[in-house]
Amino acid sequence: MDFPAQMNIQKEVTCPICLDLLTMPLSLDCGHSFCQACITAKSKDSGVHQGGESNCPVCQCKYQFWNLRPNQPLANIVKKVKENMSPWQKKLCEHHGEKLLIFCKEDGKFICQHCAQSVEHHGHQIFFMEKVAKDCQEKLQAALKKLRKEQPKMEELEANIREEKASWKDMMNVMKRSERWTLKKPNIVPKKLKSTFRIPDLSGMLQVFRELTEVQRYWVDVLLKPVNAISNIAISADKRQMTTVHNFSLKSVFLCDFSAFDVLGYQHFSSGKYYWEVDVSEKIAWILGVYSKARNLKRKESSGFVFDPNVNRPDVYSRYKPQFGYWVIGLQNESEYKVFEESSTSDPKILTLFIPVPPCRIGVFLDYEARIVSFFNVTNHGSLIYRFSNCQFSHTAYPYFNSWNCQHPITLCPPSS
């Protein structure tokens, strides 16, 4: 007989009380069988005398003690199983060859009924195996209950450790950045102007720096992919840098299809908070921010993706209104910073931004649930450039980039930079 078949048969001839092979098996009317010693001890522990009524330990069906029937065919099967078992599987008393049904507390081992009545164990505390198993089970349940009670505390401690680790990582970034700062020699103020000199708003500067540090906790490693099959953009092998391939003349820059410069992030977001930084140094034109495909737009409204040669120059921005799914800022003519705001008319609402320190590196922060998109001038210690609020994201949001007709690259900064 192969081993799996033997194990299946052994399972069928195992006593549900002592979990060992049946010894002198007795069967109940319900069909379940038990060792004679096990079911007798079970009945005595339940206070049932011969002739009384008890419940089957397996299915709880009622039975009368006098109605227990010896099951000789089952005993014969047990005998054959024992013949095929190795000595270590039999778990029998080495002195009497009987089942180990009793536990001796003093000696800390299982013994048979003959050993329990011997002089060696006289006066010892002895218990049936079922009671010992029940006590162990109760202790295990108590330990499990205690562990489950402690689990929320451990999870809270683990969360605190993760948060502390993230805070230390933000602090190390700040320290590394501070090492690159240089102190410039201040200009001497004439005496006659000293009375009008104002101290910088240090508290405001610290607040700005804290805000940038806070959003940098959600830094994601964004990678790039072109939107259209026909694209004027080349993506680097590491998918962090985009460069314009064809340089149109200034005369034709507003006559081209600007969707050929569209690039999105591989990542897309439908919940949570995310932050990324973009290097735009040396560029004279760019647009970047967040894009979420607009819903239920008429065909003529979505035609902003391809521009009419007869439109006026400002109309090249008509595509970038929030109602078309764009929350972006942009640069044109080297120094003109624009933001494309919500507009109730077909004409785009374009605001000119005043940025005292031209940004070489821009941080973009998306809070999907709060419907906020913020832009930070990392070059100027994280000062806020502009913030969109109440953004109506109708679909999944993507990081958006457009290099326009400027051949200098746009580069995504990794979180470790």
Side-chain angles (χ1 to χ4, degrees):
M1 182 183 298
D2 59 1
F3 182 74
Q6 182 180 349
M7 292 302 297
N8 289 334
I9 295 176
Q10 185 173 337
K11 182 178 179 181
E12 295 297 326
V13 296
T14 297
C15 175
I17 296 178
C18 66
L19 301 180
D20 207 340
L21 293 179
L22 291 164
T23 301
M24 300 178 66
L26 297 178
S27 298
L28 309 183
D29 291 336
C30 61
H32 293 113
S33 301
F34 307 89
C35 297
Q36 179 180 357
C38 292
I39 195 65
T40 302
K42 176 70 176 178
S43 300
K44 288 182 179 180
D45 287 347
S46 302
V48 178
H49 302 288
Q50 291 188 4
E53 191 175 64
S54 184
N55 296 328
C56 172
V58 177
C59 65
Q60 301 302 313
C61 289
K62 294 187 179 298
Y63 73 92
Q64 292 180 334
F65 186 82
W66 57 267
N67 202 28
L68 296 173
R69 306 186 305 277
N71 193 329
Q72 189 58 42
L74 194 60
N76 294 336
I77 296 175
V78 173
K79 182 179 179 181
K80 290 186 177 297
V81 171
K82 286 183 177 180
E83 291 174 355
N84 292 323
M85 289 175 61
S86 59
W88 66 269
Q89 290 179 306
K90 295 182 180 179
K91 300 180 182 177
L92 301 178
C93 176
E94 59 182 3
H95 301 295
H96 305 100
E98 293 193 5
K99 293 178 63 174
L100 305 175
L101 299 176
I102 300 172
F103 180 75
C104 177
K105 185 175 181 181
E106 279 73 12
D107 293 336
K109 66 179 183 179
F110 289 98
I111 59 178
C112 71
Q113 290 184 349
H114 290 288
C115 292
Q117 298 173 3
S118 66
V119 177
E120 180 184 356
H121 296 280
H122 179 71
H124 290 184
Q125 297 185 63
I126 59 176
F127 307 93
F128 280 102
M129 183 183 295
E130 181 187 12
K131 185 178 186 308
V132 176
K134 183 178 180 181
D135 291 342
C136 291
Q137 185 178 16
E138 290 176 352
K139 291 179 181 179
L140 287 173
Q141 290 293 338
L144 181 61
K145 183 178 180 180
K146 183 179 179 181
L147 289 174
R148 285 175 175 171
K149 186 177 180 180
E150 295 292 330
Q151 184 177 359
K153 296 180 181 179
M154 295 300 296
E155 291 176 351
E156 182 180 359
L157 179 61
E158 184 181 4
N160 291 337
I161 292 175
R162 286 199 301 266
E163 184 177 354
E164 189 71 19
K165 183 178 179 181
S167 298
W168 273 106
K169 183 177 179 180
D170 295 334
M171 185 62 68
M172 292 301 295
N173 288 336
V174 172
M175 293 176 65
K176 289 180 180 179
R177 190 173 297 164
S178 65
E179 293 175 358
R180 298 195 294 266
W181 291 350
T182 57
L183 183 63
K184 296 182 179 180
K185 183 177 180 181
N187 295 326
I188 299 177
V189 180
K191 291 183 179 180
K192 63 180 180 180
L193 296 179
K194 283 185 177 181
S195 60
T196 62
F197 179 76
R198 294 183 179 180
I199 299 176
D201 182 9
L202 296 179
S203 61
M205 293 174 62
L206 288 174
Q207 177 62 34
V208 167
F209 188 76
R210 280 195 295 267
E211 184 176 4
L212 177 64
T213 303
E214 173 64 22
V215 300
Q216 284 179 332
R217 293 174 54 192
Y218 306 98
W219 201 327
V220 290
D221 194 8
V222 175
L223 301 178
L224 302 169
K225 66 173 181 178
V227 175
N228 302 304
I230 301 177
S231 176
N232 286 3
I233 294 298
I235 304 296
S236 62
D238 62 1
K239 301 187 184 302
R240 296 183 187 276
Q241 190 175 84
M242 54 182 289
T243 309
T244 300
V245 176
H246 302 295
N247 184 22
F248 297 96
S249 65
L250 184 62
K251 180 180 179 181
S252 63
V253 66
F254 295 108
L255 306 183
C256 69
D257 180 2
F258 275 77
S259 62
F261 300 103
D262 280 344
V263 173
L264 297 180
Y266 264 106
Q267 293 83 346
H268 55 273
F269 314 117
S270 56
S271 63
K273 300 177 181 180
Y274 307 91
Y275 174 85
W276 57 93
E277 286 188 6
V278 187
D279 186 347
V280 292
S281 57
E282 300 183 12
K283 287 192 69 62
I284 61 172
W286 48 259
I287 295 177
L288 56 88
V290 172
Y291 169 70
S292 178
K293 185 177 180 181
R295 182 182 296 172
N296 296 331
L297 286 178
K298 296 180 181 179
R299 183 172 183 86
K300 67 176 184 178
E301 289 177 327
S302 62
S303 62
F305 283 83
V306 180
F307 299 104
D308 189 333
N310 298 319
V311 299
N312 296 326
R313 177 172 174 175
D315 286 341
V316 299
Y317 300 114
S318 62
R319 168 189 179 189
Y320 296 103
K321 293 187 294 185
Q323 48 262 59
F324 289 158
Y326 292 88
W327 291 269
V328 295
I329 63 174
L331 168 67
Q332 67 170 345
N333 300 329
E334 299 188 41
S335 60
E336 296 177 20
Y337 295 93
K338 306 289 185 180
V339 62
F340 313 100
E341 259 290 7
E342 190 76 42
S343 174
S344 59
T345 66
S346 59
D347 295 326
K349 184 178 180 181
I350 305 172
L351 304 180
T352 300
L353 300 174
F354 172 72
I355 303 181
V357 178
C360 295
R361 188 161 173 165
I362 296 176
V364 184
F365 176 64
L366 166 64
D367 187 341
Y368 196 96
E369 278 80 11
R371 298 186 176 277
I372 291 175
V373 178
S374 303
F375 299 87
F376 297 89
N377 186 350
V378 182
T379 310
N380 192 23
H381 311 307
S383 60
L384 181 66
I385 298 175
Y386 193 80
R387 174 173 290 134
F388 289 94
S389 57
N390 195 28
C391 302
Q392 300 302 313
F393 304 127
S394 57
H395 289 78
T396 302
Y398 292 82
Y400 174 78
F401 313 90
N402 194 307
S403 64
W404 278 41
N405 196 34
C406 175
Q407 287 190 308
H408 291 289
I410 288 179
T411 306
L412 275 166
C413 307
S416 59
S417 62

